[in-house]
Amino acid sequence: MNKAEEQYPVQSGSTFAKGIFIGGLLGAAAALLFAPKPGRELRGDLSEKVGIVTDRTKEVAAVVGDKASELAKTVSSKTSDIAKTVNQGRNDVMDSVRKASADVANEATKASEEVAAASVEAKEDARKEINSTSL
């Protein structure tokens, strides 16, 4: 051990706890000696103040509960509105896709018919050409 450790030994936890306990007792004794009111009046005042604080806490809890309930209802209605909007948008997109798909199918059918007609016409022209050259 060095000199500092010998002069100021480390106190154990129980020594510290004893000091806190003794200090608390001295503080309580001083509070009782210097209290401006007798014990009954002081306890009555404390009881009254605790009652007021309890009532106020209940009021605040009720207000918080009401606000939380209102907030939950608002969130629920907003979520429902958003879901409806998204669903409507999805339906609109699906309708547009169906219309575009039908238009493409119609155009493809028309193009196929035109190609078939042109093929028949080309076939006829080729036959006429072959027949005119062989005569």
Side-chain angles (χ1 to χ4, degrees):
M1 277 199 205
N2 62 24
K3 284 186 175 182
E5 289 176 342
E6 289 176 6
Q7 289 177 350
Y8 305 105
V10 176
Q11 295 180 356
S12 66
S14 65
T15 306
F16 182 72
K18 288 177 188 175
I20 288 178
F21 180 72
I22 292 170
L25 289 176
L26 290 175
L32 289 175
L33 289 174
F34 295 110
K37 296 182 180 181
R40 284 187 189 162
E41 286 182 35
L42 190 58
R43 284 190 300 270
D45 289 348
L46 288 175
S47 176
E48 183 180 319
K49 297 294 182 189
V50 167
I52 291 171
V53 169
T54 303
D55 292 342
R56 184 70 180 138
T57 303
K58 288 178 183 176
E59 291 173 8
V60 169
V63 169
V64 168
D66 292 342
K67 294 294 182 182
S69 176
E70 290 175 19
L71 180 62
K73 288 177 184 175
T74 302
V75 167
S76 176
S77 69
K78 294 293 183 186
T79 303
S80 177
D81 292 346
I82 289 171
K84 287 177 185 176
T85 302
V86 168
N87 202 11
Q88 182 64 36
R90 181 183 58 88
N91 290 339
D92 292 346
V93 168
M94 291 300 293
D95 289 342
S96 297
V97 168
R98 284 187 193 117
K99 288 177 184 176
S101 178
D103 290 346
V104 168
N106 289 338
E107 291 295 323
T109 302
K110 287 180 185 177
S112 177
E113 290 171 356
E114 289 175 3
V115 167
S119 174
V120 170
E121 197 174 300
K123 181 179 171 183
E124 290 297 321
D125 288 344
R127 267 193 197 171
K128 286 180 187 177
E129 190 68 35
I130 291 174
N131 285 342
S132 67
T133 57
S134 56
L135 288 175

